[in-house]
Amino acid sequence: MPNATTARLSRRGLLAAGGALGLGAVLTACGDDDAKDGGADTKGAAKSGPWSFEDDRGTTLKLDEAPKNIVAFTGVAAALYDYGIEVKGVFGPTTTKDGKADVQAGDMDVSKVTVLGNVWDQFNVEKYAALAPDVLISTMFDDAGTLWYVPEASKDKIAKLAPSVGISVFDRQLTAPLQRMWELAESLGADMTAAKVTEAKKRFEAASERLRKAAKAKPEIKVLVGSASPELFYVSGSNLSIDLEYFKALGVNFVEPTEAAKKATGGWFESLSWENVDKHKADVIMMDDRSSAIQPADITEATWKQLPAVKAGQVIARSTEPILSYDKCVAPVEALAEAIEKARKVS
């Protein structure tokens, strides 16, 4: 575990702070609140008649009609936005300190939705009730059906106000939750035959094939997945995270944390002091792009600057919590493919 502060966090809190997904600043797990909405040229009309959807907990939600007042985790709302489905409220990283859209908000106009909580463990239940929600939708990073960013302390109150849908992003390849989000959007009335939607899927498939070819052509290129906090550097394992499992299946050669380190964090990552940041040798480094993590340009540690991949300029961003629309998943796949194609062996 990173330190005493982290040790006091729940397992879910640790993951949100950085561990689970690619890691982030473990020291920044706490709370706030404010606004957002959606739309796109793929906008669809809610389907008439009874609505049902079976989520990844095996729970089938049935309503008299498709939900209109939707509240969702920010990344889920961003994915639905790309398919033309609007939400009333969001929770999770939505705005940055300067009021701009967080990376996890995608293309949403964050001024047009109600933000129920902008950070970990924050969820304004009163505001949620005032929205008269028909459904709450979130992702799940474990196999216990835990809804991401729904606070443990208030989950029972929240559950009484509206039914929920959980989409699993745990221990599976990226294409599985992408398909599930597609199915959810379609059930909510999105036009999945719209050119923007079908073309995005084709671009994702083309990007995936490009990555497969790049990895096959340069199997010697080692890719390390990291995240930075003020005190620690985290190295993510390639299991459990949907993007890394998918990239590994396409042939990417990942640097893996030690087994002992992964065991201590439930299989997610290894934490290193900045003095030991050179423990693992890598040719390309993918760095957590979430606002909770220190970005590469802001890392001042001398040991970081001396890493061969850093000196070679072979550092790229990683969409640690991918927005689950095909449109948003194209760029991360293309970026990794390009990085491997251009990479020099420096490890």
Side-chain angles (χ1 to χ4, degrees):
M1 301 291 274
N3 54 30
T5 301
T6 304
R8 291 195 297 270
L9 293 172
S10 67
R11 180 172 179 272
R12 293 175 67 235
L14 175 60
L15 302 190
L21 305 173
L23 334 327
V26 170
L27 306 177
T28 61
C30 258
D32 182 82
D33 145 73
D34 222 323
K36 171 82 207 107
D37 193 23
D41 59 12
T42 57
K43 188 173 181 179
K47 293 183 178 180
S48 60
W51 177 85
S52 68
F53 185 81
E54 182 178 354
D55 74 359
D56 290 337
R57 297 171 296 187
T59 300
T60 299
L61 176 57
K62 296 181 179 181
L63 299 174
D64 292 338
E65 59 182 2
K68 295 182 175 63
N69 292 347
I70 301 171
V71 172
F73 171 67
T74 302
V76 170
L80 292 176
Y81 179 93
D82 286 349
Y83 292 131
I85 301 299
E86 301 181 0
V87 304
K88 296 291 185 180
V90 296
F91 55 95
T94 306
T95 59
T96 58
K97 292 181 179 179
D98 58 6
K100 295 181 180 179
D102 187 274
V103 64
Q104 294 189 62
D107 292 335
M108 290 192 301
D109 181 347
V110 296
S111 70
K112 293 182 178 179
V113 294
T114 298
V115 180
L116 303 174
N118 199 53
V119 296
W120 181 253
D121 223 22
Q122 183 184 64
F123 191 112
N124 191 314
V125 180
E126 289 71 25
K127 281 189 177 181
Y128 179 57
L131 292 174
D134 294 322
V135 67
L136 179 147
I137 309 171
S138 190
T139 48
M140 301 181 298
F141 284 96
D142 60 30
D143 55 8
T146 306
L147 297 174
W148 192 233
Y149 267 79
V150 173
E152 184 71 20
S154 55
K155 67 177 184 180
D156 292 339
K157 291 181 180 179
I158 293 168
K160 291 178 181 179
L161 294 170
S164 62
V165 168
I167 300 297
S168 180
V169 289
F170 175 71
D171 196 16
R172 61 203 61 205
Q173 293 182 27
L174 177 60
T175 45
L178 271 174
Q179 179 61 29
R180 294 296 283 142
M181 193 63 67
W182 174 290
E183 293 166 0
L184 176 60
E186 185 174 35
S187 80
L188 293 170
D191 180 4
M192 310 313 284
T193 65
K196 179 179 179 180
V197 173
T198 57
E199 289 171 4
K201 189 173 185 179
K202 290 178 182 178
R203 286 189 294 112
F204 174 80
E205 292 167 348
S208 297
E209 183 58 27
R210 178 182 176 184
L211 178 55
R212 187 193 304 276
K213 290 179 179 178
K216 184 177 181 179
K218 290 188 172 181
E220 73 280 5
I221 297 299
K222 294 182 179 181
V223 179
L224 182 146
V225 182
S227 184
S229 76
E231 295 183 0
L232 296 168
F233 183 82
Y234 307 93
V235 178
S236 182
S238 62
N239 292 327
L240 305 183
S241 297
I242 56 174
D243 60 329
L244 304 186
E245 286 204 11
Y246 183 56
F247 298 156
K248 182 168 66 174
L250 293 175
V252 175
N253 181 8
F254 283 111
V255 172
E256 298 289 351
T258 63
E259 289 303 315
K262 287 196 294 183
K263 184 177 181 180
T265 61
W268 289 101
F269 66 98
E270 175 180 8
S271 57
L272 299 173
S273 67
W274 283 102
E275 290 77 13
N276 295 315
V277 73
D278 61 351
K279 176 180 178 179
H280 299 288
K281 307 304 179 184
D283 305 296
V284 172
I285 300 176
M286 300 174 68
M287 290 294 289
D288 188 348
D289 71 351
R290 294 177 298 176
S291 55
S292 59
I294 299 175
Q295 297 306 299
D298 299 320
I299 298 175
T300 59
E301 300 290 343
T303 48
W304 162 261
K305 294 180 179 180
Q306 291 304 309
L307 292 177
V310 175
K311 294 174 70 174
Q314 296 176 176
V315 178
I316 63 171
R318 175 199 177 199
S319 296
T320 303
E321 292 187 50
I323 293 173
L324 297 172
S325 71
Y326 285 101
D327 179 69
K328 291 300 179 293
C329 288
V330 172
V333 181
E334 288 184 335
L336 181 54
E338 182 177 9
I340 293 174
E341 289 167 351
K342 294 181 176 179
R344 294 186 293 110
K345 184 68 179 175
V346 295
S347 65

